[in-house]
Amino acid sequence: MAQLELRDIRKTYAGALDETLKGINIDIASGEFLTLVGPSGCGKSTLMNSIAGLETITGGSIVVDGEDISGMEPKDRDIAMVFQSYALYPTMSVRENIAFGLKIRGMPKEEVRQEVERVADLLQISPLLDKKPSRLSGGQQQRVAMGRALARRPKIYLFDEPLSNLDAKLRVEMRTEIKKLHQRLRTTIVYVTHDQIEAMTLADRIAVLRDGELQQLGTPKEVYDTPENLFVASFMGSPSMSFIEVAIDRSDTGLSVTLEGSDGRRLALPVPAYLENWVGKRVVLGIRPEHISQPDEQKRDNPMVEEGRFTVEVTEPTGPDVIAVIRLNGIDVQCRLDAEHPVEWGEEAELMFDMRKVVFFDPESEKRIRPQ
Amino acid sequence: MTDVVRTGFRPSRIAIYGVLLLACLVYLIPLIIMLITSFKTPLDIRTGNLLALPTDWTVVGWTKAWSEACTGVQCNGVSGYFWNSFKMTVPAVLISTLLGAFNGYVLSKWKFKGSDLLFGMLLFGCFVPFQVVLLPMAATLGKLGLANTTTGLVLVHVIYGVAFTTLFFRNYYVAIPDALIKAARLDGAGFFTIFFRILLPLSTPIFMVSLIWQFTQIWNDFLFGVVFASGDSQPITVALNNLVNTSTGVKEYNVDMAAAMIAALPTLVVYIVAGKYFIRGLTAGSVKG
Ligand SMILES: Nc1ncnc2c1ncn2[C@@H]1O[C@H](COP(=O)(O)OP(=O)(O)O)[C@@H](O)[C@H]1O
Ligand SMILES: [Mg+2]
């Protein structure tokens, strides 16, 4: 358990033209679960390797519990890491894999044995202890890799896409287990994933990275409901947010935007008053699928809710919901509809727009327009 | 139809096996001739057919080649030179293989500024013809006081072999995932611990390749042996040449053939014992992490 501060971390690989990490600042509280999410190649692994000491940083500092560890060797940092490929030592048994780091650190034999057993119990891998990694399934290898990290009881755990090599079902199971484990052990964890659902479900806070720059740092709810910019908004959420360029109009009842369906029918939607400065200008309206649904009696009286009829172009049943696609201002927009009240593609449907949670972006800077 | 396919005795099959058998025979005929000739009496050789089996089987050729045949002025057979070759080959093979493993480890897993360039230049060593290095090497050995010694020969073979062994090990280790090294570093393992505890146990196939390759190269070498060794320290390849060229009366082909067989036997044995690893090592892909 330790507090971790990343202060203006910069990294340029030898021989590379561009900076891979362009000044990352994150404070991670003791016992916090931070997920680091971003598209492939944005520098997530580089940041993890830098924290672990496997890569030297070219600027900034890494501070653990007030101590600057930037110059330390990996072995002196007391940080453990779980790799995407598991990186189990192929010639050693599971027991030896877990014990390797303990033995190297000079732990007495009897204590090593106890520690291996504790970890094996914790992860339910006791029956596998004498097997070679190549005899294990992917999920079992993953557990062993976690066991190896847990064994030393290090200050900080780093997970670099640990579930990416598992099939979908196992991935969800392991996700739950990692979450349980964290709730039990309350250790500081930095967890890398490119899967935004994994990021949302596991994290206390999420850091969204793009091209080596931190885009947003916040709780899953903050990142989901109030994305700082278009990139974060489009990256988080599945199906993703739809973006529609609209002009802000003023009417007797307040500010509004007008959307046009594929049949030319128009619908004026109320927008919040903080857009006052944008009247007459164009903004990007960000609307999530769940903001458009079937009419709901209870919401009908809310001034920020509006209804209209639109033609459904495509339906995609997901089980609990049906994702319906409608066209608004020439753009495909996804709506999350209740599967109990089916709509057919090609037909018209009465849809309710809940404008309380939609967000607006400045089309120039791509930043979210904040309420004043 | 299906029955015909299953039996596999179609004309095309027969043709394929026929060609393969013929190729086998072409490769084996010299060996067969050497073997049967070595067991013949000189009379048998002079009167009989080259391919005919001996009328009287005898090991006289072998015993004479081993301990009595003349290699120049001395007539003690090739046995002494046979052991010379061992004294030269075994250390040279082991040292060059270990150095290659170590170089390969550094060049693949601990890259430093210019390490790829260094590797490229090392590869050049594989293509330098023996003849080019003869004179400078002779001078160097002289300066080191190792001229005409087995130690000197070992040194020459190690230097020449390291280029190949480094290539083998470097390419083998490149396929081993870096994450393995990273995990070990986080576990607290240092440079040598990682090499000896993680990588070496994974290296059996490539070790076999390197051992066989180096053994064959060094045991069969003639040029370095003839240039850098003299008299009692000569390897068996040079002795064999001297034996065949020493003319005292009638040419004893049985002795020549037996001596040649003795010279070839160790490499044959190495292939038979470790050959399957050689194929496996050459075809081994990446190690599953
Ligand atoms: N060892 C390296 N040398 C040079 N460039 C590298 C190295 N490792 C990664 N990179 C580059 O740094 C960028 C970020 O890579 P990485 O941190 O692995 O991304 P991610 O884990 O987010 O997919 C990529 O453009 C990659 O090509
Ligand atoms: Mg990565």
Side-chain angles (χ1 to χ4, degrees):
Chain A
M1 278 243 259
Q3 185 222 5
L4 170 66
E5 287 169 56
L6 308 178
R7 295 186 188 151
D8 197 33
I9 305 289
R10 291 175 180 277
K11 169 73 184 174
T12 311
Y13 280 105
L17 295 175
D18 296 328
E19 233 178 357
T20 301
L21 298 176
K22 298 163 185 160
I24 306 283
N25 282 292
I26 306 175
D27 271 10
I28 300 152
S30 186
E32 181 171 357
F33 198 125
L34 181 99
T35 59
L36 201 60
V37 64
S40 181
C42 70
K44 303 182 297 289
S45 297
T46 305
L47 185 57
M48 295 294 259
N49 288 337
S50 302
I51 298 172
L54 298 167
E55 294 285 357
T56 50
I57 51 177
T58 42
S61 54
I62 301 161
V63 179
V64 174
D65 284 341
E67 187 190 3
D68 188 339
I69 61 162
S70 316
M72 282 188 191
E73 284 292 304
K75 65 175 163 48
D76 301 323
R77 296 192 181 198
D78 204 10
I79 290 174
M81 189 156 165
V82 178
F83 298 87
Q84 180 177 354
S85 60
Y86 315 136
L88 299 176
Y89 311 127
T91 52
M92 298 184 197
S93 67
V94 169
R95 186 191 304 281
E96 290 165 331
N97 261 281
I98 298 173
F100 186 70
L102 304 175
K103 284 189 196 154
I104 285 185
R105 277 153 211 273
M107 190 187 267
K109 246 188 175 146
E110 182 53 28
E111 274 179 54
V112 171
R113 198 186 58 77
Q114 284 173 4
E115 181 64 7
V116 170
E117 258 152 44
R118 178 189 75 91
V119 168
D121 272 351
L122 195 65
L123 292 166
Q124 295 153 11
I125 49 173
S126 302
L128 310 176
L129 280 177
D130 293 313
K131 294 193 176 166
K132 288 275 166 64
S134 55
R135 295 259 161 272
L136 306 182
S137 69
Q140 290 170 328
Q141 291 187 17
Q142 216 283 322
R143 274 168 199 274
V144 176
M146 281 189 7
R148 194 172 58 180
L150 289 174
R152 280 191 286 120
R153 306 193 198 216
K155 285 186 185 160
I156 295 165
Y157 294 90
L158 306 177
F159 288 78
D160 192 351
E161 309 211 19
L163 306 183
S164 300
N165 286 357
L166 300 180
D167 61 57
K169 184 167 178 291
L170 209 52
R171 196 153 62 218
V172 174
E173 275 174 32
M174 285 307 294
R175 194 169 77 197
T176 312
E177 257 188 73
I178 290 176
K179 182 139 197 179
K180 275 194 208 152
L181 210 59
H182 178 250
Q183 279 163 353
R184 230 170 106 188
L185 305 174
R186 278 284 147 201
T187 45
T188 312
I189 293 179
V190 185
Y191 186 107
V192 164
T193 175
H194 65 258
D195 177 346
Q196 46 91 21
I197 296 180
E198 217 169 279
M200 296 281 293
T201 49
L202 285 169
D204 292 325
R205 281 192 305 159
I206 295 179
V208 185
L209 215 60
R210 177 202 198 181
D211 287 342
E213 279 175 300
L214 187 62
Q215 302 290 305
Q216 187 167 6
L217 177 65
T219 63
K221 190 169 163 50
E222 282 167 1
V223 171
Y224 190 76
D225 287 343
T226 53
E228 284 300 324
N229 56 36
L230 277 177
F231 173 77
V232 176
S234 62
F235 196 76
M236 305 302 291
S238 168
S240 67
M241 187 183 262
S242 305
F243 302 104
I244 312 166
E245 250 200 63
V246 290
I248 305 287
D249 308 319
R250 199 195 308 273
S251 63
D252 341 331
T253 49
L255 305 183
S256 67
V257 296
T258 304
L259 297 180
E260 190 179 305
S262 50
D263 52 4
R265 213 173 331 192
R266 288 160 165 259
L267 175 66
L269 294 170
V271 298
Y274 68 77
L275 290 165
E276 185 64 44
N277 292 342
W278 290 83
V279 171
K281 295 181 203 158
R282 299 193 74 78
V283 298
V284 175
L285 162 67
I287 189 161
R288 291 204 183 274
E290 58 269 29
H291 299 151
I292 310 172
S293 58
Q294 276 122 338
D296 176 349
E297 283 301 327
Q298 287 168 345
K299 288 190 193 170
R300 201 158 264 162
D301 296 334
N302 194 303
M304 293 300 286
V305 173
E306 198 57 66
E307 282 175 53
R309 290 190 75 78
F310 290 94
T311 308
V312 174
E313 312 272 336
V314 180
T315 58
E316 296 163 353
T318 64
D321 316 303
V322 174
I323 302 299
V325 178
I326 58 174
R327 277 187 87 76
L328 295 176
N329 291 11
I331 285 170
D332 281 343
V333 174
Q334 279 145 324
C335 326
R336 196 183 288 279
L337 306 184
D338 189 350
E340 295 302 316
H341 304 283
V343 289
E344 295 294 328
W345 68 271
E347 287 179 6
E348 280 191 358
E350 181 77 14
L351 299 173
M352 179 176 266
F353 291 72
D354 185 342
M355 300 298 280
R356 284 173 297 183
K357 281 189 156 183
V358 298
V359 283
F360 298 89
F361 300 91
D362 179 343
E364 296 294 319
S365 68
E366 304 199 339
K367 288 210 164 67
R368 183 169 57 92
I369 301 168
R370 293 160 170 272
Q372 266 98 35
Chain B
M1 270 303 280
T2 49
D3 278 349
V4 179
V5 174
R6 258 193 227 120
T7 55
F9 272 110
R10 285 169 305 168
S12 63
R13 281 271 136 166
I14 295 169
I16 288 171
Y17 284 124
V19 169
L20 285 177
L21 219 62
L22 202 73
C24 242
L25 215 64
V26 169
Y27 272 98
L28 281 177
I29 274 180
L31 182 67
I32 293 168
I33 292 176
M34 273 174 72
L35 252 182
I36 55 182
T37 309
S38 73
F39 287 108
K40 285 178 181 172
T41 58
L43 181 75
D44 212 354
I45 295 169
R46 253 177 283 127
T47 56
N49 182 303
L50 194 63
L51 278 168
L53 286 179
T55 39
D56 287 324
W57 288 83
T58 170
V59 292
V60 165
W62 286 77
T63 51
K64 195 163 179 196
W66 184 249
S67 52
E68 293 162 33
C70 294
T71 53
V73 279
Q74 284 174 353
C75 293
N76 297 326
V78 295
S79 56
Y81 305 102
F82 186 78
W83 296 121
N84 277 349
S85 271
F86 263 109
K87 276 184 251 163
M88 166 189 76
T89 307
V90 171
V93 168
L94 292 181
I95 294 171
S96 61
T97 296
L98 283 176
L99 277 179
F102 211 73
N103 284 348
Y105 169 54
V106 173
L107 289 174
S108 61
K109 298 300 177 204
W110 296 86
K111 288 196 178 170
F112 48 90
K113 217 173 150 77
S115 61
D116 283 336
L117 183 72
L118 189 77
F119 177 59
M121 289 181 351
L122 244 162
L123 277 192
F124 236 61
C126 299
F127 304 109
V128 175
F130 280 18
Q131 292 79 351
V132 172
V133 298
L134 286 183
L135 280 177
M137 189 60 92
T140 309
L141 287 181
K143 285 220 176 74
L144 292 173
L146 293 173
N148 297 333
T149 63
T150 304
T151 317
L153 265 183
V154 169
L155 183 69
V156 173
H157 283 299
V158 167
I159 292 171
Y160 218 90
V162 157
F164 288 94
T165 56
T166 301
L167 171 70
F168 293 150
F169 280 95
R170 187 263 183 194
N171 287 355
Y172 187 78
Y173 288 153
V174 155
I176 290 177
D178 285 343
L180 223 51
I181 312 298
K182 291 181 181 172
R185 284 179 70 194
L186 286 172
D187 265 343
F191 182 81
F192 289 102
T193 313
I194 294 174
F195 182 60
F196 287 108
R197 298 284 303 278
I198 311 286
L199 279 188
L200 270 195
L202 285 171
S203 307
T204 314
I206 201 66
F207 249 99
M208 289 300 168
V209 170
S210 181
L211 288 179
I212 292 178
W213 175 267
Q214 283 299 91
F215 192 94
T216 315
Q217 292 295 309
I218 297 172
W219 183 275
N220 287 343
D221 166 69
F222 177 76
L223 188 63
F224 285 159
V226 84
V227 176
F228 298 131
S230 68
D232 287 344
S233 69
Q234 281 172 340
I236 190 157
T237 44
V238 178
L240 179 64
N241 176 63
N242 294 345
L243 181 145
V244 174
N245 288 339
T246 305
S247 47
T248 46
V250 183
K251 195 106 192 85
E252 295 174 300
Y253 284 110
N254 57 338
V255 178
D256 292 356
M257 293 301 175
M261 284 304 300
I262 290 170
L265 222 49
T267 43
L268 266 177
V269 169
V270 166
Y271 264 108
I272 290 165
V273 172
K276 65 173 184 212
Y277 292 101
F278 189 71
I279 307 290
R280 221 181 281 166
L282 285 180
T283 54
S286 64
V287 176
K288 256 180 80 181

